[in-house]
Amino acid sequence: MTVIKFQADADLKQAIVTGTIRRQPNIDFQSAYTANLEGKKDPEVLEIAAQQDRILVTHDRKTMPLEFGEFIISKTSAGVLIVSQNLSISEAIEAIILVWEVSQSEEWINQIMSIPF
């Protein structure tokens, strides 16, 4: 079983990434900036996350679910976690840490989930 790694989408609030790492320093949560995701289209973002076995964390409820569905027809994804923009930063951080603590990366392959659950 493998520990989950996360990849922030360019639309994810940086405060969520920073706060998650601050609260749980052992989490591997790569920022969109580090992965050079700014300006990339959803299929490219999904590909980058998949190549690094990272669950993509995004606020994008509009286009990402459809793009994810198209992506997993022919490729394997480490998963997608859609965080509601209506959640407070602290609630989003708690939910991401919970996912990290109670699940393994194998459980997320080709799965998409929204927070709140």
Side-chain angles (χ1 to χ4, degrees):
M1 296 215 220
T2 311
V3 175
I4 290 173
K5 298 185 296 184
F6 295 105
Q7 172 62 62
D9 196 358
D11 74 340
L12 188 72
K13 295 173 187 164
Q14 181 59 37
I16 293 172
V17 178
T18 304
T20 301
I21 295 168
R22 187 173 294 134
R23 290 274 323 278
Q24 184 48 263
N26 294 327
I27 286 183
D28 185 343
F29 200 162
Q30 183 169 259
S31 71
Y33 178 79
T34 301
N36 195 28
L37 298 185
E38 194 66 43
K40 294 204 180 338
K41 300 210 180 291
D42 290 349
E44 293 175 274
V45 171
L46 288 163
E47 182 69 39
I48 290 166
Q51 287 172 351
Q52 297 181 16
D53 294 322
R54 293 180 180 275
I55 294 173
L56 182 66
V57 184
T58 184
H59 287 305
D60 182 0
R61 289 185 182 278
K62 290 183 180 175
T63 62
M64 191 56 74
L66 180 61
E67 293 292 349
F68 176 76
E70 292 289 323
F71 185 84
I72 63 172
I73 289 171
S74 60
K75 300 178 181 180
T76 301
S77 169
V80 172
L81 187 58
I82 301 174
V83 177
S84 171
Q85 292 191 47
N86 295 328
L87 282 180
S88 70
I89 303 266
S90 62
E91 289 172 318
I93 290 168
E94 289 299 320
I96 292 166
I97 291 173
L98 180 64
V99 165
W100 181 78
E101 289 178 337
V102 303
S103 59
Q104 299 293 318
S105 62
E106 293 83 2
E107 298 172 58
W108 282 87
I109 294 171
N110 291 341
Q111 299 297 313
I112 187 168
M113 183 181 288
S114 293
I115 296 176
F117 305 107

